[in-house]
mmCIF file of all heavy atoms in Angstrom:
data_model
loop_
_atom_site.group_PDB
_atom_site.id
_atom_site.type_symbol
_atom_site.label_atom_id
_atom_site.label_comp_id
_atom_site.label_asym_id
_atom_site.label_seq_id
_atom_site.Cartn_x
_atom_site.Cartn_y
_atom_site.Cartn_z
ATOM 1 N N PHE H 201 -241.073 -246.204 -70.912
ATOM 2 C CA PHE H 201 -239.845 -245.725 -70.500
ATOM 3 C C PHE H 201 -239.064 -245.116 -71.564
ATOM 4 O O PHE H 201 -238.980 -245.618 -72.641
ATOM 5 C CB PHE H 201 -238.956 -246.773 -69.939
ATOM 6 C CG PHE H 201 -239.024 -246.932 -68.409
ATOM 7 C CD1 PHE H 201 -239.453 -248.178 -67.732
ATOM 8 C CD2 PHE H 201 -238.585 -245.930 -67.526
ATOM 9 C CE1 PHE H 201 -239.551 -248.365 -66.418
ATOM 10 C CE2 PHE H 201 -238.675 -245.985 -66.091
ATOM 11 C CZ PHE H 201 -239.095 -247.199 -65.576
ATOM 12 N N THR H 202 -238.468 -243.851 -71.241
ATOM 13 C CA THR H 202 -237.615 -243.132 -72.267
ATOM 14 C C THR H 202 -236.196 -243.555 -71.816
ATOM 15 O O THR H 202 -235.777 -243.411 -70.694
ATOM 16 C CB THR H 202 -237.854 -241.741 -72.097
ATOM 17 O OG1 THR H 202 -239.124 -241.347 -72.596
ATOM 18 C CG2 THR H 202 -236.748 -240.913 -73.163
ATOM 19 N N PRO H 203 -235.314 -244.025 -72.777
ATOM 20 C CA PRO H 203 -233.989 -244.338 -72.453
ATOM 21 C C PRO H 203 -233.174 -243.120 -71.841
ATOM 22 O O PRO H 203 -233.478 -242.018 -72.238
ATOM 23 C CB PRO H 203 -233.314 -244.822 -73.721
ATOM 24 C CG PRO H 203 -234.503 -245.156 -74.536
ATOM 25 C CD PRO H 203 -235.668 -244.371 -74.232
ATOM 26 N N ILE H 204 -232.269 -243.397 -70.857
ATOM 27 C CA ILE H 204 -231.456 -242.396 -70.341
ATOM 28 C C ILE H 204 -230.417 -242.136 -71.318
ATOM 29 O O ILE H 204 -229.645 -243.155 -71.714
ATOM 30 C CB ILE H 204 -230.983 -242.790 -68.960
ATOM 31 C CG1 ILE H 204 -232.037 -242.867 -67.895
ATOM 32 C CG2 ILE H 204 -229.840 -241.865 -68.500
ATOM 33 C CD1 ILE H 204 -231.546 -243.320 -66.535
ATOM 34 N N VAL H 205 -230.068 -240.895 -71.717
ATOM 35 C CA VAL H 205 -229.035 -240.629 -72.648
ATOM 36 C C VAL H 205 -228.181 -239.411 -72.043
ATOM 37 O O VAL H 205 -228.730 -238.367 -72.018
ATOM 38 C CB VAL H 205 -229.503 -240.325 -74.040
ATOM 39 C CG1 VAL H 205 -228.312 -239.740 -74.882
ATOM 40 C CG2 VAL H 205 -230.220 -241.556 -74.845
ATOM 41 N N ASP H 206 -227.124 -239.808 -71.514
ATOM 42 C CA ASP H 206 -226.162 -238.774 -71.001
ATOM 43 C C ASP H 206 -224.894 -238.679 -71.875
ATOM 44 O O ASP H 206 -224.954 -239.282 -73.046
ATOM 45 C CB ASP H 206 -225.864 -238.862 -69.528
ATOM 46 C CG ASP H 206 -225.079 -240.212 -69.297
ATOM 47 O OD1 ASP H 206 -224.730 -240.982 -70.262
ATOM 48 O OD2 ASP H 206 -224.719 -240.553 -68.109
ATOM 49 N N TYR H 207 -223.782 -238.114 -71.431
ATOM 50 C CA TYR H 207 -222.688 -238.079 -72.301
ATOM 51 C C TYR H 207 -222.036 -239.471 -72.547
ATOM 52 O O TYR H 207 -221.428 -239.751 -73.673
ATOM 53 C CB TYR H 207 -221.640 -237.163 -71.646
ATOM 54 C CG TYR H 207 -221.445 -237.019 -70.246
ATOM 55 C CD1 TYR H 207 -220.689 -237.905 -69.590
ATOM 56 C CD2 TYR H 207 -222.081 -236.078 -69.547
ATOM 57 C CE1 TYR H 207 -220.584 -237.830 -68.153
ATOM 58 C CE2 TYR H 207 -221.949 -235.915 -68.149
ATOM 59 C CZ TYR H 207 -221.211 -236.800 -67.500
ATOM 60 O OH TYR H 207 -221.074 -236.719 -66.141
ATOM 61 N N HIS H 208 -222.039 -240.379 -71.545
ATOM 62 C CA HIS H 208 -221.475 -241.731 -71.740
ATOM 63 C C HIS H 208 -222.151 -242.552 -72.815
ATOM 64 O O HIS H 208 -221.548 -243.109 -73.631
ATOM 65 C CB HIS H 208 -221.569 -242.410 -70.509
ATOM 66 C CG HIS H 208 -220.779 -241.932 -69.328
ATOM 67 N ND1 HIS H 208 -219.397 -241.636 -69.499
ATOM 68 C CD2 HIS H 208 -221.109 -241.616 -68.008
ATOM 69 C CE1 HIS H 208 -219.069 -241.194 -68.279
ATOM 70 N NE2 HIS H 208 -219.891 -241.158 -67.452
ATOM 71 N N MET H 209 -223.542 -242.438 -72.831
ATOM 72 C CA MET H 209 -224.216 -243.211 -73.874
ATOM 73 C C MET H 209 -223.935 -242.599 -75.213
ATOM 74 O O MET H 209 -223.800 -243.444 -76.161
ATOM 75 C CB MET H 209 -225.721 -243.093 -73.593
ATOM 76 C CG MET H 209 -226.261 -244.088 -72.440
ATOM 77 S SD MET H 209 -225.653 -243.541 -70.861
ATOM 78 C CE MET H 209 -226.846 -244.435 -69.825
ATOM 79 N N GLN H 210 -223.929 -241.268 -75.347
ATOM 80 C CA GLN H 210 -223.742 -240.781 -76.684
ATOM 81 C C GLN H 210 -222.298 -241.187 -77.324
ATOM 82 O O GLN H 210 -222.204 -241.483 -78.450
ATOM 83 C CB GLN H 210 -223.795 -239.295 -76.549
ATOM 84 C CG GLN H 210 -225.262 -238.854 -76.359
ATOM 85 C CD GLN H 210 -225.379 -237.278 -76.208
ATOM 86 O OE1 GLN H 210 -225.502 -236.580 -77.287
ATOM 87 N NE2 GLN H 210 -225.463 -236.759 -75.036
ATOM 88 N N ARG H 211 -221.325 -241.147 -76.348
ATOM 89 C CA ARG H 211 -220.012 -241.556 -76.669
ATOM 90 C C ARG H 211 -219.886 -242.871 -77.235
ATOM 91 O O ARG H 211 -219.231 -243.314 -78.235
ATOM 92 C CB ARG H 211 -218.994 -241.251 -75.506
ATOM 93 C CG ARG H 211 -217.639 -241.469 -75.974
ATOM 94 C CD ARG H 211 -216.631 -241.426 -74.758
ATOM 95 N NE ARG H 211 -217.113 -240.569 -73.746
ATOM 96 C CZ ARG H 211 -217.442 -240.934 -72.468
ATOM 97 N NH1 ARG H 211 -217.466 -242.302 -72.233
ATOM 98 N NH2 ARG H 211 -217.847 -240.081 -71.629
ATOM 99 N N VAL H 212 -220.438 -243.924 -76.463
ATOM 100 C CA VAL H 212 -220.545 -245.267 -76.748
ATOM 101 C C VAL H 212 -221.243 -245.610 -78.033
ATOM 102 O O VAL H 212 -220.791 -246.396 -78.865
ATOM 103 C CB VAL H 212 -221.030 -246.107 -75.609
ATOM 104 C CG1 VAL H 212 -221.233 -247.574 -76.042
ATOM 105 C CG2 VAL H 212 -220.094 -245.994 -74.429
ATOM 106 N N LEU H 213 -222.342 -244.959 -78.282
ATOM 107 C CA LEU H 213 -223.154 -245.153 -79.446
ATOM 108 C C LEU H 213 -222.362 -244.710 -80.730
ATOM 109 O O LEU H 213 -222.435 -245.340 -81.786
ATOM 110 C CB LEU H 213 -224.419 -244.570 -79.359
ATOM 111 C CG LEU H 213 -225.498 -245.208 -78.307
ATOM 112 C CD1 LEU H 213 -226.675 -244.261 -78.172
ATOM 113 C CD2 LEU H 213 -225.896 -246.673 -78.796
ATOM 114 N N LEU H 214 -221.663 -243.672 -80.581
ATOM 115 C CA LEU H 214 -220.835 -243.070 -81.664
ATOM 116 C C LEU H 214 -219.683 -244.005 -81.938
ATOM 117 O O LEU H 214 -219.348 -244.321 -83.232
ATOM 118 C CB LEU H 214 -220.253 -241.742 -81.424
ATOM 119 C CG LEU H 214 -221.366 -240.573 -81.365
ATOM 120 C CD1 LEU H 214 -220.758 -239.287 -80.763
ATOM 121 C CD2 LEU H 214 -221.815 -240.319 -82.814
ATOM 122 N N ARG H 215 -219.052 -244.412 -80.983
ATOM 123 C CA ARG H 215 -217.780 -245.301 -81.097
ATOM 124 C C ARG H 215 -218.135 -246.824 -81.586
ATOM 125 O O ARG H 215 -217.274 -247.378 -82.367
ATOM 126 C CB ARG H 215 -217.026 -245.346 -79.860
ATOM 127 C CG ARG H 215 -216.390 -243.985 -79.518
ATOM 128 C CD ARG H 215 -215.653 -244.037 -78.211
ATOM 129 N NE ARG H 215 -214.887 -242.895 -77.953
ATOM 130 C CZ ARG H 215 -214.125 -242.656 -76.756
ATOM 131 N NH1 ARG H 215 -214.004 -243.595 -75.851
ATOM 132 N NH2 ARG H 215 -213.650 -241.564 -76.573
ATOM 133 N N THR H 216 -219.325 -247.265 -81.217
ATOM 134 C CA THR H 216 -219.651 -248.482 -81.596
ATOM 135 C C THR H 216 -220.332 -248.531 -82.963
ATOM 136 O O THR H 216 -220.630 -249.594 -83.553
ATOM 137 C CB THR H 216 -220.690 -249.197 -80.690
ATOM 138 O OG1 THR H 216 -221.758 -248.307 -80.508
ATOM 139 C CG2 THR H 216 -219.951 -249.494 -79.318
#
Side-chain angles (χ1 to χ4, degrees):
F201 263 120
T202 298
I204 292 176
V205 174
D206 66 3
Y207 35 84
H208 295 308
M209 282 72 160
Q210 293 180 81
R211 186 188 329 114
V212 170
L213 291 171
L214 287 167
R215 291 178 177 178
T216 56

